[in-house]
Amino acid sequence: MAGKRKTIKQRNEELAKENKKIRNYGLKFRAFSTPKQHEQIIQTIGCARFTFNFFLGERQEVYHETKETLRSGEFKQSFNALKDHPMFNWLKKVDKFALECALEQVDDAFDRFFKGQNRYPKFRSKHKSKQSYSTKETNGNIALDFEKEQIKLPKLGWVNVKLSKKQRRLFKEQGFNGKIKGATVTVHSSGQTHISLKIEEVVPIENDIDWSLVSAENIMGCDLGLTHFLIDSNGNKIENPRYLKQYLKKLATLQRQLKNKKKGSSNYKKLQHNVAKLHLKISNLRKDFLHKQSRKLVNENQVIVLEDLNVKGLIKNKKLARSIADVSWSTFVTFVSYKAIWDNKKVVLINRFFASSKQCNGCKEKHTLLSLSDRIWVCPSCGAEHDRDRNAANNIKEEGIRILRTPVAS
Ligand SMILES: [Zn+2]
């Protein structure tokens, strides 16, 4: 694979400036090949299987003898020379990109094996019920004509396919704006053939969802707190990670010790170094936790309502646990916000001084006497019993709904 090209991540970062992103998806079609095309497909599958197995064997042998890893890029030249040999020139009758793909699939199989995602690569058998080959797009050698319902493939020419009703409607409404990156042709033992196209499309990040119409059950209110990291309006609680507490305790101890040391002494410097190291460790663990939780929240909800913690005057607090929590909350709000933009979802930020915890979610009565220590309370006006944080999450959700449904003059 060409490693010099820009990665998807880099391209997405550039596209984000124009409010666009890359979307990868597949399109699968039932194919109706002519007998001649079918013969060519079967031949190509055979050649791709041969290529895969040949290179897999070669790679294993080279490793066995030299402990070196032979990558497809290095092997390609000798493989092309092999195709010129009279014994192997039948390989030249088929799509050469299919054979290149087979070589790269061996690399991929090993890469996944070393990452622990797959078992050790196996030789391909010709007796499986599904046989396939993949090929890649170069200079327009793969194309889709959705009006004629045909796909062009190397060496095969135009193959008839059948569009689903949904595909036909979508193409009619929006046309086809994607770029074809590759194709996989699969033949089942029943004789049915399918063609899957790998598509890459640059799409606008924002779409025209009317957020004021989103129903309440697709809106999630979240209360971020000290006792729990997060409580949502369905009553789900996410605990603060336990290790964080332990490390914070350790950090507090170290910082206390640091205070008692003479500034500039070697002991002071040593301790200072340890404090810095621990800070970094906590920061990495916290970020990892925040990424996971924000991803989960965005995956599971369409609209997320959070308190806006990035307002000026975030209360300065001397307590370490509290200041760390403040940083975590605003980082979390940032993470949720940009992940939501990527996924075409919506974040509503509400004023953090909105009296979320002291208002009864049932009768809307405010209870100023409620103290921070009251985890569970009974509303003196309507008698409803509330879990303090869940009540807050529900109020946050309702405030979010109110904002969503209030028309803005623009
Ligand atoms: Zn009440």
Side-chain angles (χ1 to χ4, degrees):
M1 295 290 245
K4 291 112 222 148
R5 258 185 278 159
K6 278 182 194 153
T7 62
I8 300 272
K9 201 179 156 206
Q10 286 168 329
R11 288 178 58 205
N12 264 330
E13 278 168 10
E14 279 174 19
L15 285 165
K17 291 174 199 154
E18 307 163 40
N19 234 2
K20 287 176 183 161
K21 65 174 182 180
I22 294 170
R23 189 165 78 95
N24 288 299
Y25 60 97
L27 287 173
K28 193 176 169 187
F29 306 90
R30 174 90 191 269
F32 300 89
S33 50
T34 63
K36 217 178 141 199
Q37 284 171 333
H38 186 74
E39 199 185 317
Q40 180 72 22
I41 290 170
I42 298 297
Q43 257 187 46
T44 313
I45 288 173
C47 290
R49 186 197 314 119
F50 171 85
T51 305
F52 183 93
N53 289 345
F54 190 87
F55 179 41
L56 177 57
E58 200 71 6
R59 216 178 123 138
Q60 284 176 338
E61 211 167 296
V62 167
Y63 183 75
H64 196 71
E65 282 168 15
T66 66
K67 300 284 169 238
E68 297 281 340
T69 299
L70 179 66
R71 307 265 320 168
S72 65
E74 304 157 298
F75 180 68
K76 218 158 97 181
Q77 250 188 347
S78 37
F79 183 73
N80 284 335
L82 182 83
K83 286 200 287 188
D84 284 330
H85 191 279
M87 248 180 82
F88 293 103
N89 59 13
W90 45 275
L91 286 167
K92 282 184 157 177
K93 288 186 189 156
V94 303
D95 174 10
K96 64 174 178 179
F97 298 110
L99 307 189
E100 267 181 36
C101 278
L103 293 178
E104 285 161 11
Q105 281 164 351
V106 175
D107 285 350
D108 288 345
F110 273 104
D111 288 345
R112 277 202 291 272
F113 167 70
F114 289 124
K115 278 187 205 155
Q117 296 164 338
N118 258 7
R119 284 204 231 176
Y120 188 80
K122 276 196 300 197
F123 287 100
R124 279 188 189 164
S125 148
K126 64 166 87 172
H127 302 296
K128 272 173 75 181
S129 62
K130 244 166 64 174
Q131 302 274 348
S132 67
Y133 76 88
S134 294
T135 182
K136 50 188 172 184
E137 202 279 340
T138 312
N139 297 325
N141 61 354
I142 304 174
L144 166 69
D145 185 331
F146 61 85
E147 278 168 347
K148 285 190 186 154
E149 306 206 1
Q150 286 185 325
I151 290 173
K152 189 174 87 172
L153 288 170
K155 296 271 182 186
L156 293 179
W158 290 98
V159 182
N160 289 325
V161 295
K162 192 175 188 297
L163 269 62
S164 69
K165 267 185 200 154
K166 194 180 158 199
Q167 284 168 339
R168 217 170 280 151
R169 183 172 48 80
L170 274 175
F171 287 138
K172 207 175 166 189
E173 284 168 7
Q174 305 167 2
F176 174 63
N177 307 308
K179 197 171 172 335
I180 299 170
K181 305 299 281 183
T184 298
V185 183
T186 310
V187 178
H188 302 256
S189 52
S190 66
Q192 268 197 24
T193 304
H194 287 96
I195 299 175
S196 303
L197 296 180
K198 217 166 99 185
I199 315 285
E200 183 184 289
E201 194 171 343
V202 174
V203 294
I205 284 176
E206 264 160 332
N207 63 8
D208 305 323
I209 296 174
D210 185 347
W211 296 107
S212 69
L213 297 178
V214 175
S215 64
E217 65 258 36
N218 291 321
I219 300 173
M220 186 66 86
C222 299
D223 182 53
L224 303 174
L226 274 174
T227 43
H228 294 89
F229 175 73
L230 182 152
I231 292 191
D232 70 27
S233 43
N234 286 349
N236 300 310
K237 298 177 181 183
I238 299 170
E239 305 286 334
N240 272 306
R242 198 169 279 278
Y243 56 78
L244 209 55
K245 223 178 192 170
Q246 292 165 357
Y247 285 128
L248 286 176
K249 225 173 172 180
K250 205 171 155 192
L251 186 62
T253 314
L254 281 179
Q255 278 176 332
R256 221 173 19 249
Q257 288 172 351
L258 194 64
K259 254 189 204 157
N260 300 326
K261 291 274 182 297
K262 204 177 143 204
K263 252 190 194 168
S265 70
S266 67
N267 268 341
Y268 181 89
K269 280 180 188 158
K270 215 161 112 191
L271 212 52
Q272 204 178 28
H273 178 71
N274 288 344
V275 169
K277 245 170 66 182
L278 194 55
H279 258 302
L280 186 68
K281 184 167 190 172
I282 292 172
S283 149
N284 286 339
L285 285 169
R286 199 189 55 212
K287 249 190 243 160
D288 189 53
F289 170 77
L290 296 175
H291 270 303
K292 276 188 195 135
Q293 297 303 336
S294 56
R295 174 40 66 202
K296 190 166 176 274
L297 191 64
V298 171
N299 281 352
E300 290 172 358
N301 299 288
Q302 202 180 359
V303 175
I304 298 146
V305 190
L306 294 163
E307 287 175 289
D308 184 2
L309 300 159
N310 284 320
V311 288
K312 255 189 253 169
L314 197 69
I315 310 139
K316 283 251 184 272
N317 199 299
K318 284 267 160 70
K319 270 193 184 156
L320 185 66
R322 179 55 205 262
S323 65
I324 294 272
D326 279 347
V327 178
S328 288
W329 293 335
S330 43
T331 311
F332 183 72
V333 172
T334 312
F335 284 178
V336 174
S337 300
Y338 77 71
K339 285 183 172 111
I341 291 176
W342 283 352
D343 290 10
N344 270 332
K345 294 186 173 178
K346 176 96 176 158
V347 170
V348 181
L349 297 178
I350 67 164
N351 190 325
R352 89 175 297 215
F353 297 108
F354 167 79
S356 57
S357 47
K358 295 189 175 181
Q359 186 180 38
C360 167
N361 190 250
C363 67
K364 313 298 171 207
E365 202 67 42
K366 272 182 198 170
H367 301 291
T368 43
L369 287 173
L370 194 67
S371 89
L372 255 168
S373 56
D374 296 328
R375 306 312 316 167
I376 292 183
W377 55 282
V378 176
C379 173
S381 309
C382 73
E385 194 185 88
H386 293 299
D387 173 301
R388 179 198 163 89
D389 299 315
R390 186 173 177 185
N391 179 61
N394 272 312
N395 286 336
I396 289 169
K397 173 177 172 169
E398 273 174 25
E399 175 66 4
I401 293 175
R402 190 190 64 77
I403 291 172
L404 275 181
R405 306 211 169 141
T406 305
V408 267
S410 57

